[in-house]
Amino acid sequence: AFILALVQFIRYLCKYFEKQAAAQKNRVMVIVLKVLGCIIWCVEKCIKFLNKNAYIQVALMGTNFCTSAKNAFQLIIRNMFRFGVVAILGTVIHYIGWTVIFVGTTVIGYFIFDAFHPSEDSLLPLLTYAATGYIVAHLYMNVFGLAVDTSLQCFIAAEEMGCAEEYVPGPLKSLVDSNPGKKKWKMFGSSKARFLEALCGA
């Protein structure tokens, strides 16, 4: 959290200096600060992504945050394609879900208000419904996104631990990597690996 706050502070600082450079009509400095701000924005997004996955690892495996962050990073590197596909599909579904909830809440709210108070001005209630729909959609889809990421990590963990047959739902079993040359327990230390081997009977 401290690192994320520091990166955000640096990004806002770059924006401030960019405005100062623009006021002084220093185009070169403006371009440099824009590029720097873009790089810092990318770093911030990466930190947020890693931070979220690290907390998922904490919940799944009970390891401390630093170990979980390392395991999450290694897990993402080993499964870049899967995480990439889920990220793209998740983003599309996120915006579709957000739009449906937001628009649906506003429209249904309008009809409810119009049914009970047909002669009243509906602008203020409509804005209230829209604000409520926006907040609810944002909160719900954030939880949905976290559930998707957690499910993906659970799936990969079951695959790497060799417990897929026991824990992975039937429709997903065809997606499990059954390559016998693939090493198990990559995401764990030796002591935890031995425990998980005994647990899963691997």
mmCIF file of all heavy atoms in Angstrom, residues 4-19 33 37 40-41 44 48:
data_model
loop_
_atom_site.group_PDB
_atom_site.id
_atom_site.type_symbol
_atom_site.label_atom_id
_atom_site.label_comp_id
_atom_site.label_asym_id
_atom_site.label_seq_id
_atom_site.Cartn_x
_atom_site.Cartn_y
_atom_site.Cartn_z
ATOM 1 N N LEU A 4 2.335 1.719 -3.459
ATOM 2 C CA LEU A 4 1.291 2.199 -4.366
ATOM 3 C C LEU A 4 1.005 3.677 -4.130
ATOM 4 O O LEU A 4 0.883 4.457 -5.086
ATOM 5 C CB LEU A 4 0.022 1.371 -4.168
ATOM 6 C CG LEU A 4 -1.165 1.710 -5.073
ATOM 7 C CD1 LEU A 4 -0.797 1.518 -6.531
ATOM 8 C CD2 LEU A 4 -2.364 0.846 -4.708
ATOM 9 N N ALA A 5 0.919 4.061 -2.863
ATOM 10 C CA ALA A 5 0.683 5.473 -2.533
ATOM 11 C C ALA A 5 1.838 6.344 -3.012
ATOM 12 O O ALA A 5 1.627 7.462 -3.503
ATOM 13 C CB ALA A 5 0.486 5.626 -1.028
ATOM 14 N N LEU A 6 3.055 5.833 -2.890
ATOM 15 C CA LEU A 6 4.230 6.583 -3.336
ATOM 16 C C LEU A 6 4.213 6.779 -4.848
ATOM 17 O O LEU A 6 4.494 7.882 -5.351
ATOM 18 C CB LEU A 6 5.501 5.845 -2.905
ATOM 19 C CG LEU A 6 6.837 6.521 -3.232
ATOM 20 C CD1 LEU A 6 6.940 7.865 -2.517
ATOM 21 C CD2 LEU A 6 8.005 5.620 -2.839
ATOM 22 N N VAL A 7 3.868 5.725 -5.573
ATOM 23 C CA VAL A 7 3.795 5.817 -7.035
ATOM 24 C C VAL A 7 2.713 6.802 -7.456
ATOM 25 O O VAL A 7 2.906 7.615 -8.373
ATOM 26 C CB VAL A 7 3.531 4.420 -7.642
ATOM 27 C CG1 VAL A 7 3.225 4.529 -9.134
ATOM 28 C CG2 VAL A 7 4.732 3.514 -7.428
ATOM 29 N N GLN A 8 1.568 6.753 -6.780
ATOM 30 C CA GLN A 8 0.489 7.693 -7.095
ATOM 31 C C GLN A 8 0.908 9.130 -6.796
ATOM 32 O O GLN A 8 0.585 10.049 -7.562
ATOM 33 C CB GLN A 8 -0.764 7.327 -6.296
ATOM 34 C CG GLN A 8 -1.434 6.054 -6.767
ATOM 35 C CD GLN A 8 -2.602 5.651 -5.896
ATOM 36 O OE1 GLN A 8 -2.690 6.043 -4.726
ATOM 37 N NE2 GLN A 8 -3.517 4.856 -6.433
ATOM 38 N N PHE A 9 1.638 9.315 -5.705
ATOM 39 C CA PHE A 9 2.126 10.653 -5.362
ATOM 40 C C PHE A 9 3.074 11.177 -6.443
ATOM 41 O O PHE A 9 2.984 12.341 -6.857
ATOM 42 C CB PHE A 9 2.838 10.617 -4.008
ATOM 43 C CG PHE A 9 3.512 11.908 -3.642
ATOM 44 C CD1 PHE A 9 2.768 13.004 -3.229
ATOM 45 C CD2 PHE A 9 4.897 12.030 -3.731
ATOM 46 C CE1 PHE A 9 3.388 14.199 -2.905
ATOM 47 C CE2 PHE A 9 5.524 13.221 -3.409
ATOM 48 C CZ PHE A 9 4.771 14.310 -2.992
ATOM 49 N N ILE A 10 3.957 10.311 -6.919
ATOM 50 C CA ILE A 10 4.894 10.712 -7.975
ATOM 51 C C ILE A 10 4.138 11.060 -9.256
ATOM 52 O O ILE A 10 4.480 12.023 -9.957
ATOM 53 C CB ILE A 10 5.922 9.591 -8.234
ATOM 54 C CG1 ILE A 10 6.806 9.392 -6.997
ATOM 55 C CG2 ILE A 10 6.784 9.913 -9.445
ATOM 56 C CD1 ILE A 10 7.734 8.197 -7.087
ATOM 57 N N ARG A 11 3.087 10.285 -9.556
ATOM 58 C CA ARG A 11 2.302 10.563 -10.764
ATOM 59 C C ARG A 11 1.602 11.916 -10.668
ATOM 60 O O ARG A 11 1.595 12.697 -11.630
ATOM 61 C CB ARG A 11 1.269 9.446 -10.981
ATOM 62 C CG ARG A 11 0.471 9.595 -12.274
ATOM 63 C CD ARG A 11 -0.208 8.294 -12.642
ATOM 64 N NE ARG A 11 -1.200 7.901 -11.663
ATOM 65 C CZ ARG A 11 -2.475 8.298 -11.692
ATOM 66 N NH1 ARG A 11 -2.897 9.120 -12.649
ATOM 67 N NH2 ARG A 11 -3.326 7.886 -10.780
ATOM 68 N N TYR A 12 1.021 12.199 -9.506
ATOM 69 C CA TYR A 12 0.370 13.502 -9.323
ATOM 70 C C TYR A 12 1.392 14.639 -9.346
ATOM 71 O O TYR A 12 1.106 15.740 -9.825
ATOM 72 C CB TYR A 12 -0.414 13.521 -8.013
ATOM 73 C CG TYR A 12 -1.639 12.643 -8.036
ATOM 74 C CD1 TYR A 12 -1.898 11.741 -7.012
ATOM 75 C CD2 TYR A 12 -2.540 12.698 -9.102
ATOM 76 C CE1 TYR A 12 -3.019 10.919 -7.039
ATOM 77 C CE2 TYR A 12 -3.662 11.883 -9.139
ATOM 78 C CZ TYR A 12 -3.896 10.998 -8.109
ATOM 79 O OH TYR A 12 -5.006 10.187 -8.146
ATOM 80 N N LEU A 13 2.578 14.344 -8.844
ATOM 81 C CA LEU A 13 3.644 15.342 -8.873
ATOM 82 C C LEU A 13 4.044 15.648 -10.319
ATOM 83 O O LEU A 13 4.281 16.813 -10.678
ATOM 84 C CB LEU A 13 4.849 14.823 -8.079
ATOM 85 C CG LEU A 13 5.830 15.869 -7.530
ATOM 86 C CD1 LEU A 13 5.126 16.804 -6.562
ATOM 87 C CD2 LEU A 13 6.997 15.175 -6.840
ATOM 88 N N CYS A 14 4.101 14.608 -11.136
ATOM 89 C CA CYS A 14 4.415 14.802 -12.558
ATOM 90 C C CYS A 14 3.340 15.644 -13.242
ATOM 91 O O CYS A 14 3.649 16.496 -14.092
ATOM 92 C CB CYS A 14 4.543 13.451 -13.256
ATOM 93 S SG CYS A 14 6.061 12.559 -12.872
ATOM 94 N N LYS A 15 2.082 15.411 -12.880
ATOM 95 C CA LYS A 15 1.002 16.216 -13.454
ATOM 96 C C LYS A 15 1.143 17.685 -13.068
ATOM 97 O O LYS A 15 0.916 18.584 -13.890
ATOM 98 C CB LYS A 15 -0.356 15.682 -12.977
ATOM 99 C CG LYS A 15 -0.796 14.407 -13.654
ATOM 100 C CD LYS A 15 -2.206 14.030 -13.227
ATOM 101 C CE LYS A 15 -2.680 12.779 -13.946
ATOM 102 N NZ LYS A 15 -4.065 12.408 -13.535
ATOM 103 N N TYR A 16 1.530 17.897 -11.814
ATOM 104 C CA TYR A 16 1.710 19.275 -11.345
ATOM 105 C C TYR A 16 2.832 19.966 -12.122
ATOM 106 O O TYR A 16 2.676 21.088 -12.612
ATOM 107 C CB TYR A 16 2.021 19.274 -9.850
ATOM 108 C CG TYR A 16 2.435 20.627 -9.316
ATOM 109 C CD1 TYR A 16 1.483 21.626 -9.093
ATOM 110 C CD2 TYR A 16 3.775 20.902 -9.049
ATOM 111 C CE1 TYR A 16 1.865 22.866 -8.615
ATOM 112 C CE2 TYR A 16 4.162 22.139 -8.567
ATOM 113 C CZ TYR A 16 3.207 23.121 -8.356
ATOM 114 O OH TYR A 16 3.590 24.352 -7.884
ATOM 115 N N PHE A 17 3.966 19.270 -12.255
ATOM 116 C CA PHE A 17 5.091 19.850 -12.989
ATOM 117 C C PHE A 17 4.761 20.026 -14.469
ATOM 118 O O PHE A 17 5.253 20.952 -15.120
ATOM 119 C CB PHE A 17 6.336 18.974 -12.826
ATOM 120 C CG PHE A 17 6.966 19.072 -11.466
ATOM 121 C CD1 PHE A 17 7.327 17.929 -10.765
ATOM 122 C CD2 PHE A 17 7.202 20.301 -10.878
ATOM 123 C CE1 PHE A 17 7.903 18.012 -9.513
ATOM 124 C CE2 PHE A 17 7.777 20.404 -9.623
ATOM 125 C CZ PHE A 17 8.132 19.260 -8.939
ATOM 126 N N GLU A 18 3.917 19.125 -14.985
ATOM 127 C CA GLU A 18 3.500 19.245 -16.385
ATOM 128 C C GLU A 18 2.693 20.523 -16.597
ATOM 129 O O GLU A 18 2.881 21.240 -17.594
ATOM 130 C CB GLU A 18 2.672 18.021 -16.771
ATOM 131 C CG GLU A 18 2.205 18.026 -18.216
ATOM 132 C CD GLU A 18 1.279 16.867 -18.528
ATOM 133 O OE1 GLU A 18 1.404 15.816 -17.871
ATOM 134 O OE2 GLU A 18 0.426 17.023 -19.427
ATOM 135 N N LYS A 19 1.802 20.821 -15.655
ATOM 136 C CA LYS A 19 1.019 22.057 -15.753
ATOM 137 C C LYS A 19 1.917 23.284 -15.638
ATOM 138 O O LYS A 19 1.713 24.285 -16.339
ATOM 139 C CB LYS A 19 -0.050 22.082 -14.660
ATOM 140 C CG LYS A 19 -1.172 21.084 -14.879
ATOM 141 C CD LYS A 19 -2.208 21.167 -13.776
ATOM 142 C CE LYS A 19 -3.336 20.173 -14.003
ATOM 143 N NZ LYS A 19 -4.348 20.223 -12.916
ATOM 144 N N LEU A 33 7.391 15.000 -19.407
ATOM 145 C CA LEU A 33 6.565 14.707 -18.232
ATOM 146 C C LEU A 33 5.345 13.860 -18.598
ATOM 147 O O LEU A 33 4.901 13.029 -17.802
ATOM 148 C CB LEU A 33 6.128 16.007 -17.564
ATOM 149 C CG LEU A 33 7.247 16.768 -16.833
ATOM 150 C CD1 LEU A 33 6.783 18.153 -16.425
ATOM 151 C CD2 LEU A 33 7.721 15.981 -15.612
ATOM 152 N N GLY A 37 4.748 10.384 -16.983
ATOM 153 C CA GLY A 37 3.464 10.114 -16.336
ATOM 154 C C GLY A 37 2.816 8.847 -16.865
ATOM 155 O O GLY A 37 2.214 8.084 -16.102
ATOM 156 N N ILE A 40 4.699 5.893 -15.354
ATOM 157 C CA ILE A 40 4.326 5.733 -13.941
ATOM 158 C C ILE A 40 2.913 5.177 -13.822
ATOM 159 O O ILE A 40 2.621 4.359 -12.942
ATOM 160 C CB ILE A 40 4.457 7.077 -13.198
ATOM 161 C CG1 ILE A 40 5.925 7.498 -13.148
ATOM 162 C CG2 ILE A 40 3.903 6.971 -11.780
ATOM 163 C CD1 ILE A 40 6.148 8.882 -12.585
ATOM 164 N N TRP A 41 2.019 5.594 -14.722
ATOM 165 C CA TRP A 41 0.651 5.062 -14.722
ATOM 166 C C TRP A 41 0.666 3.556 -14.981
ATOM 167 O O TRP A 41 -0.063 2.799 -14.326
ATOM 168 C CB TRP A 41 -0.170 5.773 -15.789
ATOM 169 C CG TRP A 41 -1.586 5.284 -15.891
ATOM 170 C CD1 TRP A 41 -2.650 5.662 -15.130
ATOM 171 C CD2 TRP A 41 -2.089 4.304 -16.820
ATOM 172 N NE1 TRP A 41 -3.789 4.988 -15.527
ATOM 173 C CE2 TRP A 41 -3.474 4.149 -16.554
ATOM 174 C CE3 TRP A 41 -1.504 3.562 -17.842
ATOM 175 C CZ2 TRP A 41 -4.270 3.276 -17.280
ATOM 176 C CZ3 TRP A 41 -2.304 2.683 -18.562
ATOM 177 C CH2 TRP A 41 -3.668 2.551 -18.279
ATOM 178 N N GLU A 44 1.882 1.843 -11.914
ATOM 179 C CA GLU A 44 0.815 1.842 -10.902
ATOM 180 C C GLU A 44 -0.194 0.733 -11.170
ATOM 181 O O GLU A 44 -0.614 0.021 -10.249
ATOM 182 C CB GLU A 44 0.112 3.198 -10.901
ATOM 183 C CG GLU A 44 -1.024 3.302 -9.887
ATOM 184 C CD GLU A 44 -1.788 4.609 -10.006
ATOM 185 O OE1 GLU A 44 -1.278 5.550 -10.642
ATOM 186 O OE2 GLU A 44 -2.910 4.677 -9.466
ATOM 187 N N LYS A 48 -1.018 -2.451 -8.745
ATOM 188 C CA LYS A 48 -2.385 -2.757 -8.298
ATOM 189 C C LYS A 48 -2.760 -4.192 -8.644
ATOM 190 O O LYS A 48 -3.353 -4.906 -7.832
ATOM 191 C CB LYS A 48 -3.377 -1.788 -8.948
ATOM 192 C CG LYS A 48 -3.390 -0.403 -8.334
ATOM 193 C CD LYS A 48 -4.461 0.464 -8.988
ATOM 194 C CE LYS A 48 -4.541 1.828 -8.328
ATOM 195 N NZ LYS A 48 -5.567 2.697 -8.956
#
